[in-house]
Amino acid sequence: MARQQAAEEPAGDSGEEPAEESGEQLAEEPAEEPVGMDLVHLLREVTLRLDLAGARFAGRNGLHPTDLRALISLLDAARAGDESTPGRLGDRLGLNSAGTTALIDRLERLGLVRRVRDTRDRRRVLLEVDDRALALGQSFFGPLIDRTLALLATFEAGEQAAVRRFLSGVRDAVREEGA
């Protein structure tokens, strides 16, 4: 009602400056969020929590967060049947050649990654994740993966397909945005 009275009073009658002139703005009602924003917020929270879990894992194991991203990238490439070279790893992580070399040297010193010569082209170096890295990751992330798989098992096939379609679409949107 005060809002209605203020609108009805001519400027200057109340003894106060109009909101526009004083630099104040009337409180606006919050706009309704688009349908699905709750899922966007939930996805952002999941991303944040996974990032924090990754940082804890890295810290406990003397790794830099980029080291963990490199290991994940190498594991994902291997799972997809793609060979990993230092150049490809650097491209995936947005690192220059010197940064990529330092990263690989660090992971190699820790016994988590090894450089191997390509059997078809001995000039080319491939990167492989050592079993030690797999065991280390499984010891930390295994329980979370098990809980996630158990949750997913409660979904019907159509629901799983919808989740897969959604997450794939978000991944593709992020790629297209260059993020």
Side-chain angles (χ1 to χ4, degrees):
M1 181 156 191
R3 190 178 215 181
Q4 185 179 15
Q5 286 175 344
E8 291 174 2
E9 291 180 19
D13 286 356
S14 68
E16 296 178 16
E17 279 186 44
E20 287 177 13
E21 292 177 20
S22 69
E24 297 175 23
Q25 297 204 2
L26 295 176
E28 294 181 24
E29 291 183 28
E32 251 185 69
E33 289 190 327
V35 173
M37 277 304 290
D38 60 327
L39 294 177
V40 171
H41 295 306
L42 187 57
L43 181 61
R44 186 178 60 205
E45 182 181 356
V46 168
T47 301
L48 174 65
R49 291 181 184 272
L50 287 172
D51 189 50
L52 291 171
R56 279 192 307 277
F57 170 80
R60 288 180 186 173
N61 292 288
L63 301 172
H64 186 277
T66 303
D67 298 345
L68 177 58
R69 286 192 290 275
L71 289 170
I72 291 169
S73 181
L74 292 170
L75 290 170
D76 287 347
R79 187 174 32 85
D82 297 334
E83 295 177 328
S84 289
T85 64
R88 285 184 187 161
L89 179 63
D91 287 345
R92 281 189 232 125
L93 298 177
L95 298 174
N96 63 25
S97 179
T100 302
T101 298
L103 167 70
I104 295 167
D105 287 348
R106 220 175 23 248
L107 293 174
E108 199 170 38
R109 272 193 309 274
L110 292 168
L112 303 176
V113 168
R114 61 184 165 274
R115 292 173 170 104
V116 296
R117 291 281 173 199
D118 185 340
T119 56
R120 292 167 295 171
D121 181 353
R122 299 289 298 157
R123 296 169 295 174
R124 199 167 96 148
V125 173
L126 300 175
L127 302 172
E128 293 180 354
V129 176
D130 192 86
D131 290 341
R132 181 173 179 266
L134 295 171
L136 195 61
Q138 181 63 32
S139 70
F140 185 87
F141 292 107
L144 175 59
I145 292 169
D146 291 344
R147 287 183 67 181
T148 302
L149 290 173
L151 173 62
L152 194 55
T154 68
F155 287 57
E156 295 176 12
E159 292 173 311
Q160 289 184 21
V163 170
R164 186 174 294 105
R165 190 174 76 244
F166 174 73
L167 292 175
S168 296
V170 171
R171 178 203 57 210
D172 294 346
V174 170
R175 277 185 190 155
E176 289 171 14
E177 290 297 319

